Amino acid sequence: MRLLTFALLVLTMFGHNAFAAGPYKVASDCTWPPMELLDDQKQPTGYSVDYIKEAGKAAGFDVDVQNVAWDGIFGGVATNKYDIVASSTTITPERQKQFDFSDPYYEVVQAVILPAGQNIKNLADLKGKKVGGQIGTTGIFVMRKADAGADLREYDDIGLAIQDLVGGRLDAVICDDPVAMYYVNKKPDTAGKLNLSFKTDDKEYYGFTVKKGRQDLVEKINKGIKAVKESGKEAELKKKWMGE
């Protein structure tokens, strides 16, 4: 009875936000290794997940990271179901009209993966080749824009494209460079079998996404990002997830 009375008193004095000091709910689509994936216990992990946790430690806030499908991730933020999206989200002018973004936490370019021992000098070298990529990603858009004459094949999951590359059913795969580095350097069943042969020049930047107007949260995240970069923790995370 005393706890209930006290709780009602606090709500009356300070409003419902008095109990809003719990961990921020973070949504992450864990299908994009090494940035976001599930560990052996089916818990979210990866570079983006580690990064937001480290940023939280540095800036004084806790996070609860949840695996959320991509097609519902932004709607969840817009309706306050989640506070933050940590899911390799490229900062674009179109998205900035609908959401607020943190400072960038990763610079990304597109990378072409080939079987070990093979190389290309540019996208034109893929003419007539079977090239895989994940549907709706920048890699697919880049290949279409290049109009290199490749036989472009789209997959629901980048891992399926990599499997077909290792199995000889594709000649190349195009994807974000951290993803490429993971499969080339770190993933046990593909490391040593592949070669990151080519990177494009055009850069994109990943940012953590929040609901429009939550500038207070953006400032907290940015404080954490700054600390992670300056402390050297960012370099440690890159080595951990992408290799040398």
Side-chain angles (χ1 to χ4, degrees):
M1 179 63 74
R2 288 180 180 177
L3 290 175
L4 178 59
T5 303
F6 177 73
L8 290 173
L9 177 61
V10 172
L11 285 173
T12 302
M13 293 174 62
F14 300 104
H16 291 278
N17 287 334
F19 293 97
Y24 290 118
K25 293 181 180 179
V26 178
S28 184
D29 178 22
C30 299
T31 61
W32 195 242
M35 306 304 285
E36 306 92 26
L37 66 156
L38 295 177
D39 63 18
D40 293 340
Q41 286 73 47
K42 304 299 181 182
Q43 297 301 307
T45 188
Y47 182 87
S48 298
V49 175
D50 280 357
Y51 206 115
I52 193 63
K53 288 181 177 179
E54 291 296 335
K57 288 179 186 177
F61 62 86
D62 294 325
V63 294
D64 173 22
V65 184
Q66 303 174 20
N67 182 27
V68 180
W70 182 258
D71 59 3
I73 213 167
F74 295 104
V77 169
T79 58
N80 299 314
K81 188 174 182 180
Y82 313 111
D83 299 293
I84 304 167
V85 172
S87 201
S88 298
T89 308
T90 303
I91 303 170
T92 66
E94 293 78 14
R95 285 175 174 161
Q96 286 176 311
K97 293 176 183 177
Q98 302 177 63
F99 301 94
D100 283 338
F101 283 85
S102 70
D103 291 336
Y105 70 93
Y106 198 90
E107 178 185 281
V108 62
V109 296
Q110 294 305 299
V112 176
I113 310 171
L114 299 175
Q118 297 186 26
N119 279 290
I120 60 169
K121 295 181 179 179
N122 51 52
L123 295 180
D125 290 342
L126 295 173
K127 182 177 180 179
K129 303 292 187 180
K130 295 187 290 292
V131 181
Q134 183 165 323
I135 188 169
T137 58
T138 302
I140 295 294
F141 302 145
V142 166
M143 286 302 302
R144 285 178 177 157
K145 183 178 179 181
D147 195 22
D151 178 7
L152 190 58
R153 306 191 177 185
E154 300 181 51
Y155 291 75
D156 291 331
D157 186 320
I158 193 64
L160 298 176
I162 296 293
Q163 287 179 18
D164 277 358
L165 177 61
V166 173
R169 293 175 293 276
L170 287 176
D171 299 302
V173 167
I174 188 167
C175 58
D176 292 357
D177 68 303
V179 179
M181 286 187 284
Y182 172 73
Y183 282 104
V184 170
N185 297 325
K186 300 291 289 185
K187 198 169 191 300
D189 58 343
T190 57
K193 299 178 181 179
L194 302 170
N195 177 38
L196 199 167
S197 176
F198 176 77
K199 291 185 179 182
T200 61
D201 294 328
D202 293 340
K203 296 178 174 62
E204 296 180 337
Y205 298 90
Y206 293 155
F208 298 114
T209 317
V210 305
K211 185 177 181 180
K212 197 73 174 175
R214 295 201 65 180
Q215 191 59 34
D216 59 326
L217 182 51
V218 171
E219 290 174 0
K220 288 181 182 180
I221 298 172
N222 285 346
K223 179 181 178 182
I225 290 174
K226 185 173 185 290
V228 170
K229 290 179 183 294
E230 292 178 349
S231 68
K233 192 67 182 180
E234 180 181 90
E236 291 179 19
L237 292 178
K238 287 182 177 179
K239 183 177 180 179
K240 173 184 176 180
W241 289 106
M242 292 85 167
E244 297 292 352

